[in-house]
Amino acid sequence: MATADLLTINFQAILGRVRSYYFPICSVSYVPFRAATDCSVWFTVTFTFDRFVAICCQKLKAKYCTGKTAAVVLSTTGILFCFKNAPYFFMYRPMKVIDNIPWGCIRKSSYYTDPGWVGYSWLSTVLTPLLPFVLILLLNALTIRHILVTSRVRKGLRGQSKAENRSDPEMESRRRSVILLLTISGSFIILWSVKVAEFLYYTITGQDQNSYNDSEYIFQQAGYMLMILSCCTNTFIYGVTQSKFREQFISAVKYPLTSIIQLINKRTI
């Protein structure tokens, strides 16, 4: 999830500025940006489902919650969304041509009128983020309901009265998992809401995004900004809440330096 988030930021924040001027880079950079964004969103869904299985489905947990399953799910999701976003390569046209050199890029007018493009646009928005909205809300509701029921049962079995304050390590662990789960999925839903509203606006009104007035353009760009911010938050949430994530991140940062030192030592010896 963190890798997909960082790729989204890099493709949009760095290459996104370049593609505004150089047409050849436009489609080449936009396709991986959309693929990374889709992966970031659906990795959030798979994370939510993973927490649901780990907390609510104890029989399935041993088979599903493994490193091998995670690798298969993540790689399959990444490959599928790379293929799904391939049509975006043909979406742009040059904004202007100077001395037979194309400059800038703008969406083709047919993107808003051609039935194939309109259907593809709806499919893309349903897959990211409308369907993830529904799945995340449903899985979170089921997870929280299960935890509340389990909490009442465990309190009854432990004979815990209101006057007592004995800690329950299992419930404390689940409480922390739920806080992390709700923080990630809640920030995702809130930050994507403006982008969804903007999509529904130009779809219902039938307006071309290229002809937005100032206020409509500001609303559109605010949606893009919050969408990118959604990809920023997960990495910081992991860094704050997950000690294993911090350890692995530090190890990844140190690895190149450690390898160089080891190589120098071998040559010296």
Side-chain angles (χ1 to χ4, degrees):
M1 288 176 65
T3 301
D5 293 340
L6 292 174
L7 286 174
T8 302
I9 296 169
N10 288 333
F11 279 119
Q12 178 62 14
I14 300 175
L15 292 179
R17 300 306 92 196
V18 177
R19 72 166 179 258
S20 300
Y21 302 99
Y22 301 104
F23 177 74
I25 302 177
C26 187
S27 298
V28 174
S29 64
Y30 189 74
V31 172
F33 161 66
R34 288 303 301 254
T37 303
D38 285 345
C39 288
S40 174
V41 171
W42 277 92
F43 288 169
T44 303
V45 176
T46 57
F47 170 79
T48 306
F49 181 73
D50 181 82
R51 293 300 85 199
F52 168 75
V53 171
I55 294 173
C56 304
C57 308
Q58 295 301 313
K59 293 183 179 180
L60 182 60
K61 176 181 177 180
K63 295 181 179 180
Y64 180 81
C65 298
T66 63
K68 182 179 180 180
T69 301
V72 171
V73 170
L74 295 178
S75 59
T76 302
T77 302
I79 292 171
L80 288 177
F81 280 110
C82 284
F83 282 109
K84 173 259 178 186
N85 287 286
Y88 280 119
F89 185 82
F90 307 98
M91 183 180 68
Y92 286 103
R93 64 176 177 83
M95 185 177 295
K96 61 179 76 173
V97 178
I98 301 176
D99 296 331
N100 294 325
I101 300 177
W103 293 93
C105 59
I106 190 172
R107 290 179 179 179
K108 297 177 180 177
S109 299
S110 59
Y111 177 78
Y112 303 99
T113 58
D114 185 85
W117 276 118
V118 173
Y120 179 73
S121 179
W122 267 103
L123 174 64
S124 297
T125 304
V126 168
L127 289 177
T128 305
L130 296 183
L131 183 57
F133 272 20
V134 176
L135 293 176
I136 287 174
L137 290 173
L138 176 62
L139 291 170
N140 282 345
L142 293 175
T143 302
I144 294 173
R145 176 179 175 275
H146 176 83
I147 289 177
L148 292 176
V149 172
T150 304
S151 177
R152 287 195 294 266
V153 172
R154 288 179 68 88
K155 286 181 179 179
L157 293 175
R158 289 166 62 90
Q160 184 171 337
S161 64
K162 294 183 179 180
E164 295 176 324
N165 190 27
R166 290 183 294 177
S167 62
D168 187 342
E170 177 66 20
M171 294 311 301
E172 284 295 318
S173 175
R174 292 189 177 187
R175 183 181 68 84
R176 288 192 296 269
S177 295
V178 169
I179 292 174
L180 176 63
L181 179 67
L182 292 179
T183 302
I184 292 176
S185 55
S187 64
F188 161 73
I189 291 174
I190 293 172
L191 295 174
W192 271 86
S193 297
V194 176
K195 184 69 177 70
V196 174
E198 188 266 336
F199 168 79
L200 295 176
Y201 170 76
Y202 83 73
T203 301
I204 294 173
T205 60
Q207 187 171 358
D208 188 330
Q209 286 180 325
N210 298 327
S211 62
Y212 274 180
N213 58 36
D214 290 343
S215 60
E216 292 167 337
Y217 179 76
I218 292 172
F219 184 71
Q220 179 198 46
Q221 294 304 307
Y224 277 119
M225 180 187 69
L226 293 175
M227 180 187 74
I228 301 302
L229 181 60
S230 173
C231 295
C232 298
T233 55
N234 287 346
T235 306
F236 289 106
I237 291 172
Y238 297 144
V240 171
T241 60
Q242 301 292 297
S243 58
K244 289 185 177 180
F245 177 84
R246 291 195 298 271
E247 292 173 1
Q248 293 183 1
F249 179 78
I250 293 173
S251 177
V253 172
K254 289 182 178 179
Y255 179 78
L257 182 60
T258 304
S259 300
I260 293 173
I261 294 174
Q262 290 177 349
L263 181 63
I264 292 174
N265 291 334
K266 287 181 180 180
R267 291 187 174 183
T268 302
I269 295 174

